[in-house]
Amino acid sequence: MTAAFISTEDTRWTRALEFCDHDVYHLPEYVDVAGKQEGCQPTAFYAEDREGLILIPLLVRRLPDRLDAPNSWRDATSPYGYGGPIVSRGCPDSKVAQFLASFVALCQHEDIISAFIRTHPLIPFPSNSVGAYGKVENEGETVTVDIRLNESLIRAEMEHGHKQRIKKLERVGFSTRIDEWSLLTDFISLYRATM
């Protein structure tokens, strides 16, 4: 088995994405930007053998001085969003457990004393493999909408309460627009204010 922390420039990162279901949060460019924004070292844990591979995008940072911890100690977190671990299609759960054991050993070797990793709500990850190495917290549900459906089918699948709130907004004059790029600046301002 090969296991290492790799940089965003490492070709193994982009090659791994070819074999894994992934999202924008798993791209090395996204992790690189997130690292610059948060003042952290962008990296990924990468492990592979003939049965599969795993990629865990991470931001590694020094511990705060107020903790009075040794200078070599660091922690890791997944970048903002859903950039959690991804495994190659068909990778057996037993192999994922071995990859996670390698992750823990490499973290210990590199003085990474903790890791906070978010999983992706739409990309399955065998969380039963995590139990031996950490704690899994379910923080709520994620709602998905198949935007390929027409509006009447989308509304038919909505919960009753959501339908009522939409009708109320429409009665008071709210409307939606799709692909109205002139509103992008307003959208970004609203997004940042609420997130």
Side-chain angles (χ1 to χ4, degrees):
M1 175 189 310
T2 300
F5 287 112
I6 60 174
S7 74
T8 55
E9 293 86 26
D10 194 307
T11 58
R12 291 177 289 182
W13 192 319
T14 53
R15 189 180 67 74
L17 297 179
E18 296 173 18
F19 299 98
C20 302
D21 294 328
H22 64 280
D23 201 342
V24 66
Y25 305 107
H26 298 100
L27 298 176
E29 296 87 353
Y30 179 86
V31 180
D32 199 38
V33 168
K36 288 175 183 163
Q37 182 179 355
E38 296 189 34
C40 300
Q41 175 192 353
T43 189
F45 173 74
Y46 172 86
E48 74 168 321
D49 69 7
R50 58 181 165 63
E51 292 184 74
L53 66 85
I54 189 171
L55 181 79
I56 308 175
L58 296 165
L59 300 177
V60 177
R61 59 192 174 197
R62 285 190 59 237
L63 298 180
D65 291 336
R66 70 180 183 281
L67 295 179
D68 201 29
N71 284 336
S72 63
W73 285 13
R74 298 170 296 149
D75 73 357
T77 184
S78 52
Y80 176 80
Y82 298 119
I86 51 175
V87 295
S88 55
R89 295 172 201 94
C91 184
D93 288 1
S94 59
K95 182 53 59 180
V96 174
Q98 291 175 13
F99 288 152
L100 292 175
S102 294
F103 173 66
V104 170
L106 192 56
C107 284
Q108 289 172 338
H109 181 264
E110 296 289 329
D111 280 344
I112 297 173
I113 64 166
S114 69
F116 175 79
I117 301 171
R118 300 166 184 91
T119 57
H120 196 291
L122 303 177
I123 300 174
F125 183 77
S127 59
N128 56 333
S129 301
V130 177
Y133 308 103
K135 185 176 178 182
V136 177
E137 291 284 334
N138 292 315
E139 291 294 324
E141 294 182 38
T142 300
V143 177
T144 61
V145 176
D146 186 347
I147 59 173
R148 295 172 295 190
L149 301 175
N150 67 41
E151 186 177 346
S152 62
L153 288 173
I154 290 172
R155 286 193 184 223
E157 292 182 3
M158 281 184 195
E159 291 182 15
H160 179 70
H162 291 129
K163 289 179 194 176
Q164 285 183 315
R165 286 188 286 280
I166 289 171
K167 286 178 184 177
K168 183 178 179 181
L169 287 169
E170 288 173 338
R171 281 193 302 271
V172 296
F174 281 85
S175 64
T176 59
R177 294 187 201 125
I178 297 174
D179 287 338
E180 183 61 53
W181 293 101
S182 65
L183 300 173
L184 181 60
T185 304
D186 294 336
F187 171 79
I188 292 170
S189 296
L190 289 169
Y191 182 84
R192 286 185 174 152
T194 59
M195 299 305 276

